[in-house]
Amino acid sequence: MKTFLGFLSGLLLIPSIAFAGNPTGYGQAGGEFDIRVARVPSGELAKAKKVKPPFQPTPEILAEGKKIFLRRGGCVSCHGAEGKGDGAAAKNLPIQPRNFTNPKFKKYRKLGELMWVLKNGSMGQSGRVPGTGMLPVVQPKGFITEEEGWKALFYEMSLGKSKK
Ligand code: HEC
């Protein structure tokens, strides 16, 4: 928990860094930023898309992913209990967290790109890192391991499945 609080307090710095010369809409509350824009820089995108998880999502893996999402990983604090991007910390962020129940999420993203974001953070449309509250959570000695990251991603991808 201590690590997680440290991680969150780092976020307080983001709005102040973020406000010089940002694209239109940046810093305005409400809604995700344009989901059609890849979050991986173009030079790394093709490679990132090819990265595949080392295992497949079984019901057990999804259950573990859910635990990571709701507890250890702290994803819930921004992405919300149902993954709709409405967590308690979301309103303080300059760019809103991804709503994982948005059907476009699965359409526009490959798992490998999402792993890139877990490792590098998402610059959103600011063109700079960190440009959003999505910080690099998967680090060699970091917050969650790569394996935990894949599990959380499988869980996120499973959200909102029934909706078309
Ligand atoms: C401090 C708030 C915060 C926390 C905690 C957080 N996220 Fe995010 N996340 C965001 C924001 C903000 C975005 C939207 C970034 C953007 O639009 O570029 C995002 C986007 C994402 C995306 C979508 C990236 C894309 O390419 O569309 C994934 C996947 C993701 N988060 C996974 C996670 C996982 C897994 C965890 C927990 C280990 C987590 N997040 C924790 C704020 C957070």
Side-chain angles (χ1 to χ4, degrees):
M1 203 55 199
K2 221 172 185 176
T3 348
F4 181 59
L5 287 179
F7 169 78
L8 271 188
S9 64
L11 283 175
L12 295 176
L13 293 170
I14 291 175
S16 49
I17 303 168
F19 278 101
N22 285 308
T24 322
Y26 194 91
Q28 288 172 9
E32 306 161 89
F33 257 55
D34 196 340
I35 199 166
R36 291 164 301 181
V37 178
R39 298 312 198 248
V40 180
S42 50
E44 295 179 54
L45 188 57
K47 201 172 144 216
K49 280 186 175 176
K50 286 193 198 122
V51 173
K52 296 271 181 323
F55 46 81
Q56 288 304 308
T58 60
E60 291 75 26
I61 297 269
L62 287 176
E64 284 177 49
K66 183 175 184 177
K67 268 192 210 156
I68 294 160
F69 182 86
L70 291 176
R71 295 186 213 156
R72 200 175 129 44
C75 322
V76 63
S77 62
C78 293
H79 290 281
E82 291 164 30
K84 291 184 177 162
D86 55 358
K91 57 181 180 309
N92 300 321
L93 295 172
I95 281 188
Q96 289 303 290
R98 175 72 61 240
N99 172 1
F100 297 122
T101 67
N102 179 348
K104 290 195 183 130
F105 175 56
K106 275 154 276 225
K107 187 170 161 207
Y108 286 109
R109 292 288 186 273
K110 295 260 178 290
L111 274 170
E113 291 178 82
L114 301 177
M115 180 49 77
W116 190 96
V117 165
L118 293 194
K119 287 182 170 173
N120 299 279
S122 176
M123 62 183 177
Q125 290 166 325
S126 71
R128 295 190 302 275
V129 180
T132 74
M134 190 59 218
L135 300 177
V137 286
V138 170
Q139 293 287 316
K141 287 188 181 166
F143 200 58
I144 58 171
T145 65
E146 185 163 340
E147 189 184 324
E148 289 171 324
W150 285 119
K151 289 176 181 171
L153 286 179
F154 278 134
Y155 176 67
E156 290 172 353
M157 280 293 199
S158 77
L159 295 168
K161 227 175 199 167
S162 53
K163 289 177 206 133
K164 267 254 144 133

